[in-house]
CSV table of all heavy atoms in Angstrom, one decimal:
chain,number,residue,atom,x,y,z
A,110,ALA,N,20.3,-5.5,32.4
A,110,ALA,CA,21.0,-6.0,33.6
A,110,ALA,C,20.3,-5.6,34.8
A,110,ALA,O,20.0,-6.4,35.7
A,110,ALA,CB,22.4,-5.6,33.6
A,111,ALA,N,19.9,-4.3,34.9
A,111,ALA,CA,19.2,-3.8,36.1
A,111,ALA,C,17.8,-4.5,36.2
A,111,ALA,O,17.4,-4.8,37.4
A,111,ALA,CB,19.0,-2.3,36.0
A,112,HIS,N,17.1,-4.7,35.1
A,112,HIS,CA,15.8,-5.4,35.2
A,112,HIS,C,16.0,-6.8,35.7
A,112,HIS,O,15.2,-7.3,36.5
A,112,HIS,CB,15.2,-5.4,33.8
A,112,HIS,CG,14.0,-6.2,33.7
A,112,HIS,ND1,12.8,-5.7,34.2
A,112,HIS,CD2,13.7,-7.4,33.2
A,112,HIS,CE1,11.8,-6.6,34.0
A,112,HIS,NE2,12.4,-7.7,33.3
A,113,ILE,N,17.0,-7.5,35.2
A,113,ILE,CA,17.3,-8.9,35.7
A,113,ILE,C,17.6,-8.9,37.2
A,113,ILE,O,17.1,-9.7,37.9
A,113,ILE,CB,18.4,-9.6,34.9
A,113,ILE,CG1,18.0,-9.8,33.5
A,113,ILE,CG2,18.9,-10.8,35.5
A,113,ILE,CD1,19.1,-10.2,32.5
A,114,VAL,N,18.4,-8.0,37.7
A,114,VAL,CA,18.8,-7.9,39.1
A,114,VAL,C,17.5,-7.6,39.9
A,114,VAL,O,17.3,-8.2,41.0
A,114,VAL,CB,19.9,-6.8,39.3
A,114,VAL,CG1,20.1,-6.5,40.8
A,114,VAL,CG2,21.2,-7.3,38.7
A,115,GLU,N,16.7,-6.7,39.5
A,115,GLU,CA,15.5,-6.2,40.3
A,115,GLU,C,14.4,-7.3,40.3
A,115,GLU,O,13.9,-7.6,41.3
A,115,GLU,CB,14.9,-4.9,39.7
A,115,GLU,CG,15.8,-3.7,39.9
A,115,GLU,CD,15.3,-2.5,39.2
A,115,GLU,OE1,14.3,-2.6,38.6
A,115,GLU,OE2,16.0,-1.5,39.3
A,116,SER,N,14.2,-7.9,39.2
A,116,SER,CA,13.0,-8.8,39.1
A,116,SER,C,13.4,-10.3,39.0
A,116,SER,O,12.5,-11.1,39.2
A,116,SER,CB,12.1,-8.4,37.9
A,116,SER,OG,12.8,-8.7,36.7
A,117,GLY,N,14.6,-10.6,38.6
A,117,GLY,CA,15.0,-12.0,38.4
A,117,GLY,C,14.4,-12.5,37.1
A,117,GLY,O,14.5,-13.7,36.9
A,118,ASP,N,13.8,-11.7,36.3
A,118,ASP,CA,13.2,-12.1,35.0
A,118,ASP,C,14.3,-12.3,34.0
A,118,ASP,O,14.9,-11.3,33.6
A,118,ASP,CB,12.2,-11.1,34.6
A,118,ASP,CG,11.5,-11.4,33.3
A,118,ASP,OD1,11.6,-12.6,32.8
A,118,ASP,OD2,10.9,-10.5,32.7
A,119,LEU,N,14.5,-13.5,33.5
A,119,LEU,CA,15.5,-13.8,32.5
A,119,LEU,C,14.9,-13.8,31.1
A,119,LEU,O,15.6,-14.2,30.2
A,119,LEU,CB,16.2,-15.1,32.8
A,119,LEU,CG,17.0,-15.1,34.1
A,119,LEU,CD1,17.5,-16.5,34.4
A,119,LEU,CD2,18.2,-14.1,34.1
A,120,THR,N,13.7,-13.4,30.9
A,120,THR,CA,13.0,-13.6,29.6
A,120,THR,C,13.1,-12.3,28.8
A,120,THR,O,12.7,-12.3,27.6
A,120,THR,CB,11.5,-13.9,29.8
A,120,THR,OG1,10.9,-12.9,30.6
A,120,THR,CG2,11.4,-15.3,30.5
A,121,ARG,N,13.5,-11.2,29.4
A,121,ARG,CA,13.6,-9.9,28.6
A,121,ARG,C,14.6,-10.1,27.5
A,121,ARG,O,15.8,-10.5,27.7
A,121,ARG,CB,14.0,-8.8,29.6
A,121,ARG,CG,13.9,-7.4,28.9
A,121,ARG,CD,14.0,-6.3,29.9
A,121,ARG,NE,14.1,-5.1,29.2
A,121,ARG,CZ,14.3,-3.9,29.9
A,121,ARG,NH1,14.3,-3.9,31.2
A,121,ARG,NH2,14.4,-2.8,29.2
A,122,PRO,N,14.2,-9.8,26.3
A,122,PRO,CA,15.1,-9.9,25.1
A,122,PRO,C,16.2,-8.9,25.1
A,122,PRO,O,16.1,-7.8,25.6
A,122,PRO,CB,14.2,-9.8,23.9
A,122,PRO,CG,13.1,-8.9,24.4
A,122,PRO,CD,12.9,-9.3,25.8
A,123,ILE,N,17.4,-9.3,24.6
A,123,ILE,CA,18.5,-8.4,24.4
A,123,ILE,C,18.7,-8.3,22.9
A,123,ILE,O,19.0,-9.2,22.2
A,123,ILE,CB,19.8,-9.0,25.1
A,123,ILE,CG1,19.5,-9.2,26.6
A,123,ILE,CG2,21.0,-8.1,24.8
A,123,ILE,CD1,20.6,-10.0,27.3
A,124,HIS,N,18.6,-7.1,22.4
A,124,HIS,CA,18.7,-6.8,21.0
A,124,HIS,C,20.2,-6.5,20.6
A,124,HIS,O,20.8,-5.6,21.2
A,124,HIS,CB,17.8,-5.6,20.6
A,124,HIS,CG,16.4,-5.9,20.9
A,124,HIS,ND1,15.6,-6.8,20.2
A,124,HIS,CD2,15.6,-5.3,21.9
A,124,HIS,CE1,14.4,-6.8,20.7
A,124,HIS,NE2,14.4,-5.9,21.8
A,125,VAL,N,20.7,-7.2,19.7
A,125,VAL,CA,22.1,-7.0,19.2
A,125,VAL,C,21.9,-6.4,17.8
A,125,VAL,O,21.3,-7.0,16.9
A,125,VAL,CB,22.8,-8.3,19.1
A,125,VAL,CG1,24.2,-8.1,18.6
A,125,VAL,CG2,22.9,-9.0,20.5
A,126,SER,N,22.5,-5.2,17.6
A,126,SER,CA,22.4,-4.5,16.3
A,126,SER,C,23.7,-4.2,15.7
A,126,SER,O,23.6,-3.5,14.6
A,126,SER,CB,21.5,-3.3,16.5
A,126,SER,OG,22.2,-2.4,17.5
Side-chain angles (χ1 to χ4, degrees):
H112 175 75
I113 290 171
V114 168
E115 290 171 4
S116 67
D118 178 18
L119 296 172
T120 61
R121 186 166 173 184
I123 299 170
H124 302 288
V125 179
S126 59

